Amino acid sequence: MDTEAEKVIKIAGSITVDELAQALGLSVTTLVGELFKNGIVATINQRLDFDTAALIIDELGMTNVKLERKNTATKTTDGFRKELSDHAVPRPPVVAVMGHVDHGKTTLLDTLLHKKTVESEAGGITQHISAYQLKHDDRLITFLDTPGHEAFAAIRQHGAMLTDIVVIVVAADDGVKPQTVEAIKFAQGANAKIIVAINKIDREGADIPRTMADLSQHGLQPEEWGGDIMMVPVSAKTGENLDKLLDDILLMADVEELKADTDIPAEGLVIESHMEVGKGSVVNLLVTGGELKVGEFIAAGNAYGKVRTMLDYQGKPKGKAGPSTPVTVTGFKELPSFGDRFLEYMDEKSARRAAVMNAQAEANAAASANVTSTDLLRMMSTSDNSEVFNVIVKGDVLGSVTSVVDSLKMIDSKGEVQLNVVATGVGDVTENDVYMAAGDNNTVIYGFNVNVPTNIAKLAARDGVAIRNYKVIYELLDDAKSAMEDLLGEEIVETELGEMKVMGVFRTTKTELIAGGEMLRGKLIPGAMARAKHDKEVIGEAEVESVQKERIDAKELIEKEVGGLMMKTTKKINLQVGDRLEFFSRETRKRKLD
């Protein structure tokens, strides 16, 4: 075999370390070692995105290997959906709604749900975290609501990976924003079909053609202009065209021929999990294949259990759930993580074995299951002498913990401060958290929607441990950014003020210099610093004590004015006629992260 021939590796959206090692013909140990050298503690099942895989291949010097993005007719959800059999049956579309924080995404969903609730059953649709269903023309549509702030970018990305269709909401009076572009990229990266809801058409200033033009600049060409993207002008406030939006979603589902096998072991994804008194672990799942039934054994990540109870999206008991169905189950012995794949097993022993194997494989993984190219590049560029900011994150549910941790990692310190997640967990801040934080310098415990018992607060105060509890993630991120800025220390900032051509030197001593000249540009004020230059050579620095114009003290000299100045020096400066004085201010500022 010609080892120098180019080898093409096709991946859909991400690839595990194990799969990449096999494709490259390397041992997993070798690949994990290469990741470790670049600052990534990886496990065999950890997923790498396309750009990260390309970076590692480049680091390995494999010039004969080429990566290509795989566009499959059968889309993957987190890379595990199989090719369909001849017995596959139609399934409801799974739709994520994304968009800029102020463009009406939440209002659109609320209006849809309220409208369909009124038309269907009394009692309404109960939203379970982020997944729910509605009926349109006697057909089900599963919706995933994705948070609207960039802080939840990681969760939005998971949301896109779970879905068949992404509805991107863009305000007709505001146009494309950075979060809109982010949503487009996520949807394209997940191979999801895109429908654009041009919202707020009832507002003054709404400009649908301009909005379409903006979207076309980002690769979304509307059908009206010969493209392939459905764009539906809607008003979430008045309800205008919402039925057409749902019609288009079902039309796209028909075109895509969305199907799934039901005669296979049930599989799907964890979309939320938390603990409830009297119930234990309460886990929200999205079934993607097979049929999940009460009494079956399942494993997700390092957790396993028997499905004790199962509720549908309305909170009603459900005996079985087919593909594209969101359900809430109890029975897990531990909490699985957001985004974990779940699988059905024949018996408890098999489920437990799978969970143990997953736990061993992911023992060194951080809170996030994926390594992105941004993470890798940041870690590769982090200098050995950078400051380290240690954090422990506690949240009310695992989805919150994942969101907080991934959002913290998005704070860009340009390698000068390294954020280190010491530990994460679900539930209130505990004594163990405080002891762990006390053992490391600069460790802050961040709580998100949790309680800090009085005895724990006293223990933390005694040991000098900072516990910062928040209910709004943006405030938590602002605090973390500020703490990281404190580690950066201060910087000296110089601001250019002006320049003078020296026309006379009247007095020169070790501590004093009196001269006069013409301002060439800018201005001169008392208190400014002066840098004396002979040609291009700096011959000394001094502080301007006073300024005179026509032998009278002045507040400033401006361009083309002639005047004199007295400067305080620490050593003699041999200033001559024809030299230049550059004036500037110098101040010490707290360094900021961009």
Side-chain angles (χ1 to χ4, degrees):
M1 180 178 174
D2 182 6
T3 56
E4 293 302 316
E6 185 177 78
K7 183 176 183 179
V8 177
I9 300 174
K10 293 186 177 182
I11 66 175
S14 62
I15 187 170
T16 66
V17 172
D18 183 35
E19 291 167 345
L20 183 59
Q22 289 184 34
L24 295 175
L26 300 173
S27 69
V28 174
T29 305
T30 300
L31 185 55
V32 168
E34 186 64 31
L35 286 162
F36 184 79
K37 283 194 295 184
N38 288 300
I40 299 293
V41 180
T43 62
I44 189 171
N45 288 334
Q46 198 157 342
R47 304 199 70 83
L48 311 174
D49 69 6
F50 182 91
D51 293 331
T52 303
L55 280 167
I56 287 300
I57 290 171
D58 185 57
E59 286 290 306
L60 288 165
M62 293 186 166
T63 56
N64 63 319
V65 176
K66 180 182 179 183
L67 273 189
E68 288 186 358
R69 295 186 186 274
K70 181 178 179 183
N71 293 316
T72 57
T74 303
K75 295 185 294 296
T76 63
T77 56
D78 206 26
F80 66 82
R81 192 173 294 177
K82 307 176 185 69
E83 292 296 326
L84 299 176
S85 73
D86 295 334
H87 305 292
V89 298
R91 62 173 178 80
V94 180
V95 182
V97 182
M98 300 182 176
H100 186 68
V101 66
D102 296 323
H103 283 192
K105 174 184 69 73
T106 302
T107 305
L108 176 66
L109 278 167
D110 287 348
T111 305
L112 280 172
L113 293 173
H114 176 69
K115 182 174 184 293
K116 295 303 168 182
T117 300
V118 173
E119 291 179 356
S120 56
E121 298 181 1
I125 297 173
T126 302
Q127 180 180 341
H128 291 281
I129 306 300
S130 59
Y132 37 87
Q133 289 183 313
L134 59 79
K135 268 191 178 181
H136 181 66
D137 291 343
D138 291 325
R139 294 175 62 183
L140 285 172
I141 301 173
T142 299
F143 278 96
L144 295 180
D145 186 9
T146 59
H149 191 275
E150 59 264 321
F152 291 99
I155 278 188
R156 284 217 300 280
Q157 188 165 16
H158 278 289
M161 297 301 286
L162 297 174
T163 59
D164 307 302
I165 299 169
V166 173
V167 173
I168 296 176
V169 181
V170 186
D173 63 341
D174 201 19
V176 174
K177 294 295 180 184
Q179 288 175 29
T180 316
V181 177
E182 189 180 70
I184 292 171
K185 289 179 179 177
F186 286 162
Q188 291 172 335
N191 292 326
K193 294 297 180 180
I194 296 174
I195 295 176
V196 176
I198 301 178
N199 193 25
K200 301 187 180 182
I201 60 172
D202 55 297
R203 283 196 174 186
E204 185 178 348
D207 191 335
I208 297 173
R210 185 198 65 193
T211 305
M212 288 182 171
D214 287 349
L215 289 162
S216 69
Q217 297 298 312
H218 296 279
L220 301 187
Q221 293 292 335
E223 287 183 332
E224 293 86 341
W225 296 0
D228 59 354
I229 301 296
M230 295 180 182
M231 296 191 181
V232 187
V234 300
S235 170
K237 185 177 180 180
T238 66
E240 183 178 352
N241 273 351
L242 293 191
D243 278 332
K244 184 178 186 317
L245 176 62
L246 295 177
D247 288 339
D248 284 351
I249 288 172
L250 292 176
L251 174 62
M252 183 169 283
D254 291 337
V255 171
E256 289 296 295
E257 296 183 345
L258 299 175
K259 293 183 178 181
D261 284 304
T262 56
D263 57 352
I264 61 172
E267 63 180 13
L269 288 152
V270 175
I271 54 178
E272 191 54 273
S273 61
H274 63 279
M275 299 294 293
E276 284 189 21
V277 177
K279 294 182 179 179
S281 59
V282 178
V283 182
N284 292 273
L285 305 174
L286 178 68
V287 180
T288 59
E291 287 187 333
L292 183 64
K293 302 180 183 69
V294 173
E296 290 179 336
F297 294 97
I298 55 177
N302 61 0
Y304 76 98
K306 181 179 181 180
V307 179
R308 251 191 357 246
T309 63
M310 182 161 58
L311 305 177
D312 67 9
Y313 64 94
Q314 291 177 308
K316 296 179 179 179
K318 194 173 183 69
K320 66 178 181 179
S324 301
T325 304
V327 290
T328 301
V329 303
T330 61
F332 274 97
K333 295 185 181 299
E334 293 182 27
L335 282 178
S337 297
F338 170 78
D340 277 349
R341 172 194 182 189
F342 80 80
L343 281 174
E344 174 197 340
Y345 292 88
M346 292 181 60
D347 50 40
E348 184 174 10
K349 183 178 178 181
S350 300
R352 181 171 62 246
R353 184 189 301 118
V356 170
M357 290 178 65
N358 289 338
Q360 290 173 344
E362 298 178 3
N364 296 322
S368 174
N370 291 339
V371 178
T372 67
S373 56
T374 304
D375 294 332
L376 182 59
L377 285 170
R378 181 169 60 241
M379 292 177 184
M380 289 170 66
S381 64
T382 299
S383 59
D384 293 335
N385 59 354
S386 61
E387 296 286 348
V388 178
F389 179 50
N390 296 316
V391 297
I392 294 172
V393 178
K394 300 297 292 286
D396 53 345
V397 295
L398 279 174
S400 298
V401 175
T402 301
S403 171
V404 170
V405 171
D406 287 350
S407 300
L408 285 169
K409 290 180 178 179
M410 291 166 62
I411 299 175
D412 186 10
S413 67
K414 303 193 183 303
E416 295 184 79
V417 179
Q418 182 182 349
L419 185 132
N420 177 38
V421 181
V422 176
T424 63
V426 175
D428 295 344
V429 179
T430 66
E431 186 176 325
N432 187 56
D433 296 326
V434 175
Y435 288 146
M436 193 181 304
D440 290 302
N441 293 328
N442 299 325
T443 297
V444 173
I445 299 174
Y446 281 114
F448 184 69
N449 280 329
V450 298
N451 294 317
V452 181
T454 303
N455 63 316
I456 301 300
K458 289 180 179 178
L459 177 65
R462 187 197 71 186
D463 292 349
V465 172
I467 300 177
R468 299 169 188 173
N469 201 15
Y470 292 93
K471 294 187 180 296
V472 180
I473 191 169
Y474 322 138
E475 295 176 357
L476 186 154
L477 295 177
D478 287 343
D479 182 280
K481 186 175 180 180
S482 177
M484 292 171 74
E485 287 174 342
D486 289 341
L487 292 176
L488 288 174
E490 297 180 331
E491 62 182 342
I492 297 173
V493 179
E494 291 187 358
T495 304
E496 185 180 334
L497 296 175
E499 183 181 18
M500 170 184 279
K501 181 179 179 181
V502 177
M503 300 172 65
V505 180
F506 309 115
R507 180 180 175 85
T508 302
T509 68
K510 184 178 179 180
T511 59
E512 189 179 64
L513 195 158
I514 300 175
E518 179 186 5
M519 290 296 297
L520 301 178
R521 57 185 174 84
K523 66 178 181 179
L524 165 62
I525 57 174
M529 297 296 297
R531 185 177 289 116
K533 281 189 172 183
H534 182 69
D535 292 330
K536 293 184 179 181
E537 180 187 357
V538 177
I539 58 175
E541 283 190 3
E543 180 182 352
V544 179
E545 283 198 320
S546 62
V547 177
Q548 287 193 341
K549 182 166 57 175
E550 297 177 354
R551 298 188 179 184
I552 299 173
D553 286 345
K555 292 183 178 179
E556 65 177 12
L557 286 179
I558 61 174
E559 188 175 337
K560 294 184 179 180
E561 288 186 340
V562 176
L565 71 162
M566 182 172 70
M567 295 177 282
K568 182 169 60 178
T569 62
T570 56
K571 64 179 181 179
K572 188 174 182 180
I573 299 175
N574 294 317
L575 193 66
Q576 301 175 24
V577 173
D579 288 347
R580 303 291 176 98
L581 291 173
E582 294 179 351
F583 304 112
F584 61 95
S585 63
R586 179 182 287 156
E587 60 181 327
T588 301
R589 295 181 190 169
K590 180 181 176 182
R591 297 180 65 190
K592 298 285 186 181
L593 297 177
D594 294 332

